[in-house]
Amino acid sequence: MIRRDDFRKLQLEIKSAIDELYETAKKNEKNKNDYILFLARSSYDTEIDKTKFSPWRLDHALEELIDRHRVDFLLQYLNNQYSFQTENSADSKFTLSIELMIYTHLWESKHNLGNFKKIADLCDSKDYDWNVQVPGDSKYRFVKNNIRDIFEKHNLKIYDIFKDCYKSQLRNAFAHSLYHFSLNGHSIVLENYEEPKHPLKGLTFDEWTVIFLKSALIQNFYHNKFSSEIEKLEAGKEYEVVMEFDGEKEIGFLSYDHEKKRFNGRMK
């Protein structure tokens, strides 16, 4: 459960952290307009037949669709469950189970983690990553080394939020059905408790709600900001970009068509 005013405060906290994250990424880019490559969802296709097609890709329609479907679902759930017809949100074992599922999907998503790795690289003035590789397991180590530690290094507010809500133990507990609701009906008991790796014995429903909402709102505000940053690009302007991957290097130009809502690109 969470009170309406606390929910509003949480929204402001997450939005502020996401705004700071994007501004830092924009300011710290290594090469001019790496930030534009990020907004254009630029990637390098290592599987393509380069004798017939260019491996340099931008504005990948499938990635955009995946984002939209996930965010639409998340927004619908938040609007339904946290509409605050009363002063407090309402918990049930059903909604808590749904939230554990959503939480697990958010933090298991290679696509989500790849996006955060890209923006962390920008914040850390690294080369743009054209082919992000997120491991199938050991995601905690990947997140810590490639995302969370970078946020901490640059003293970003989103570091504390990640630290509070990214918990491998919770993901594993749901994925392997290693949790149950306490007999008193006020907490989630974690059956995979094991010091020191999995230090949580359980969470009250109120503690869980904050962790879930921070995770969900990060995703929601991240994608809202991503879309708004694209729409702020100057109409008709071409942005020169460095395209470099696995020994190949090209210079290209990107522009954004506000009517078609698509990026266009050409080689120098």
Side-chain angles (χ1 to χ4, degrees), residues 4 14 36 65 68 85 90 96 145 148 260-262:
R4 182 191 293 113
I14 305 298
I36 307 300
L65 198 62
R68 190 186 313 130
Q85 301 300 315
L96 290 166
N145 295 340
R148 206 179 75 180
K260 296 180 179 178
K261 296 190 178 299
R262 308 302 309 177

Side-chain angles (χ1 to χ4, degrees), residues 4-265:
R4 182 191 293 113
D5 289 347
D6 291 333
F7 179 74
R8 301 290 183 247
K9 289 176 185 175
L10 206 57
Q11 285 181 307
L12 292 174
E13 175 190 348
I14 305 298
K15 183 179 185 304
S16 174
I18 293 295
D19 287 344
E20 179 189 56
L21 173 64
Y22 271 81
E23 290 308 307
T24 303
K26 193 186 307 183
K27 180 180 67 177
N28 289 4
E29 63 180 4
K30 180 177 180 181
N31 302 303
K32 185 179 180 181
N33 295 325
D34 278 353
Y35 186 70
I36 307 300
L37 288 173
F38 165 69
L39 294 180
R41 296 183 176 87
S42 306
S43 63
Y44 185 98
D45 189 345
T46 58
E47 305 294 327
I48 204 167
D49 183 351
K50 292 191 285 186
T51 64
K52 296 180 180 179
F53 306 100
S54 171
W56 307 100
R57 300 192 307 181
L58 69 151
D59 220 1
H60 193 204
L62 179 58
E63 287 189 9
E64 183 184 2
L65 198 62
I66 291 169
D67 279 345
R68 190 186 313 130
H69 287 173
R70 182 171 52 247
V71 173
D72 285 351
F73 165 73
L74 187 59
L75 189 59
Q76 182 176 345
Y77 180 83
L78 290 174
N79 286 339
N80 287 343
Q81 182 61 21
Y82 296 93
S83 59
F84 292 99
Q85 301 300 315
T86 59
E87 183 65 25
N88 304 320
S89 64
D91 296 322
S92 70
K93 293 181 177 64
F94 176 80
T95 59
L96 290 166
S97 296
I98 293 294
E99 288 177 3
L100 280 162
M101 179 197 73
I102 294 171
Y103 175 89
T104 301
H105 286 176
L106 288 174
W107 291 119
E108 278 290 325
S109 168
K110 289 186 177 182
H111 188 66
N112 271 351
L113 297 181
N115 286 337
F116 278 112
K117 198 268 185 184
K118 282 187 177 183
I119 201 167
D121 283 348
L122 288 170
C123 292
D124 207 32
S125 301
K126 290 187 173 73
D127 287 315
Y128 180 78
D129 193 340
W130 286 86
N131 190 245
V132 179
Q133 296 297 309
V134 180
D137 52 13
S138 299
K139 287 190 177 70
Y140 173 80
R141 191 176 298 112
F142 174 84
V143 171
K144 181 181 183 302
N145 295 340
N146 297 283
I147 301 172
R148 206 179 75 180
D149 285 356
I150 305 304
F151 294 161
E152 181 182 25
K153 175 182 175 181
H154 294 278
N155 197 31
L156 295 172
K157 287 180 281 191
I158 198 170
Y159 163 73
D160 289 320
I161 298 168
F162 259 68
K163 189 177 179 181
D164 289 344
C165 66
Y166 181 80
K167 299 182 185 296
S168 293
Q169 184 183 351
L170 285 173
R171 293 186 295 109
N172 292 335
F174 179 79
H176 300 287
S177 296
L178 294 173
Y179 73 96
H180 64 268
F181 299 109
S182 63
L183 295 178
N184 64 18
H186 299 301
S187 62
I188 302 170
V189 179
L190 300 175
E191 299 167 20
N192 60 348
Y193 163 73
E194 183 182 355
E195 292 282 6
K197 188 178 179 181
H198 293 150
L200 285 175
K201 291 185 177 181
L203 296 164
T204 67
F205 288 174
D206 290 357
E207 288 171 335
W208 161 252
T209 297
V210 172
I211 289 174
F212 167 73
L213 284 175
K214 283 186 175 183
S215 300
L217 290 171
I218 283 175
Q219 305 297 328
N220 192 29
F221 283 116
Y222 172 92
H223 289 289
N224 287 348
K225 184 70 173 178
F226 189 89
S227 297
S228 68
E229 287 293 286
I230 291 174
E231 290 303 317
K232 287 194 294 187
L233 294 177
E234 186 177 336
K237 179 177 179 178
E238 285 196 315
Y239 298 88
E240 184 174 335
V241 293
V242 176
M243 304 158 63
E244 190 168 9
F245 177 76
D246 198 24
E248 294 184 49
K249 186 173 181 178
E250 303 278 357
I251 301 297
F253 294 91
L254 298 182
S255 61
Y256 183 69
D257 187 324
H258 286 265
E259 280 191 24
K260 296 180 179 178
K261 296 190 178 299
R262 308 302 309 177
F263 279 92
N264 299 309

